[in-house]
Amino acid sequence: MIQTKRTNAEDQDLLLLIKQLDKELAVTDGEEHSFYDQYNKLDRIKCFIILYENESPVGCGALKEFEPGVAEVKRMFVKPESRGKGLASVVLKELEKWAAELSFRKCILETGIRQPDAIQLYKKNGYSIIPNYGQYAGVENSVCFMKVLSE
């Protein structure tokens, strides 16, 4: 059974998932990890989703206000053993629903060119590639996306 929970950065299940995510990203990002990591500090993010499969935490994602009306999707992760089941799409759709409830009109996000599965996930869920924004402008290993949320 799949369930989602809205939570905050103090949730112990979330902290375990984030620890796994950061460990994986340290390998994927290589020397650039500290650059990306500085923009993902949990104390600056208020809205988190945890995905549970059979009451076990298997995935997460977050929303952070980028600017008025625009939410940035952050900290997307599904445990390796739970991938390939569409669970990341469940997290993403739940984040989009929450963003709309909070009156955000669109979602933006950044992922790395070394993460083809993530790139495919966002394209499959209606995100379009946009020029790199904010701190990612000019960063050649970043790919940025945007999706307008339905009214």
Side-chain angles (χ1 to χ4, degrees):
M1 184 169 89
I2 303 294
Q3 292 177 297
T4 59
K5 175 173 90 171
R6 293 178 180 185
T7 190
N8 60 44
E10 295 168 14
D11 190 297
Q12 292 305 304
D13 287 342
L14 175 74
L15 295 175
L16 289 171
L17 290 165
I18 295 295
K19 188 174 182 180
Q20 290 180 339
L21 167 61
D22 285 339
K23 188 175 179 182
E24 191 172 295
L25 287 176
V27 173
T28 305
D29 295 340
E31 293 177 6
E32 297 168 330
H33 182 66
S34 60
F35 167 77
Y36 291 110
D37 191 50
Q38 68 182 318
Y39 301 110
N40 291 313
K41 301 300 181 199
L42 299 187
D43 61 347
R44 298 190 193 125
I45 305 172
K46 307 293 180 225
C47 302
F48 291 91
I49 297 283
I50 299 175
L51 182 78
Y52 291 88
E53 185 177 33
N54 300 321
E55 299 182 20
S56 178
V58 297
C60 62
L63 288 174
K64 177 181 175 184
E65 182 175 28
F66 181 74
E67 61 186 40
V70 181
E72 186 176 20
V73 175
K74 308 288 287 176
R75 314 285 32 211
M76 286 289 296
F77 178 72
V78 172
K79 287 183 172 183
E81 63 271 20
S82 297
R83 293 177 185 163
K85 304 178 190 176
L87 299 178
S89 290
V90 173
V91 172
L92 193 56
K93 285 179 182 12
E94 192 63 30
L95 288 171
E96 291 169 3
K97 179 180 169 189
W98 197 1
E101 288 171 19
L102 294 171
S103 299
F104 290 110
R105 294 182 310 280
K106 57 183 161 180
C107 287
I108 60 172
L109 62 91
E110 179 276 341
T111 193
I113 60 168
R114 298 183 195 106
Q115 298 176 32
D117 291 344
I119 292 170
Q120 192 56 39
L121 165 74
Y122 300 124
K123 287 180 176 179
K124 179 177 78 176
N125 281 280
Y127 283 75
S128 301
I129 293 177
I130 59 171
N132 288 4
Y133 59 85
Q135 64 267 24
Y136 307 112
V139 178
E140 59 186 53
N141 288 322
S142 289
V143 182
C144 294
F145 288 87
M146 190 262 309
K147 180 178 182 178
V148 175
L149 301 174
S150 39
E151 300 297 319

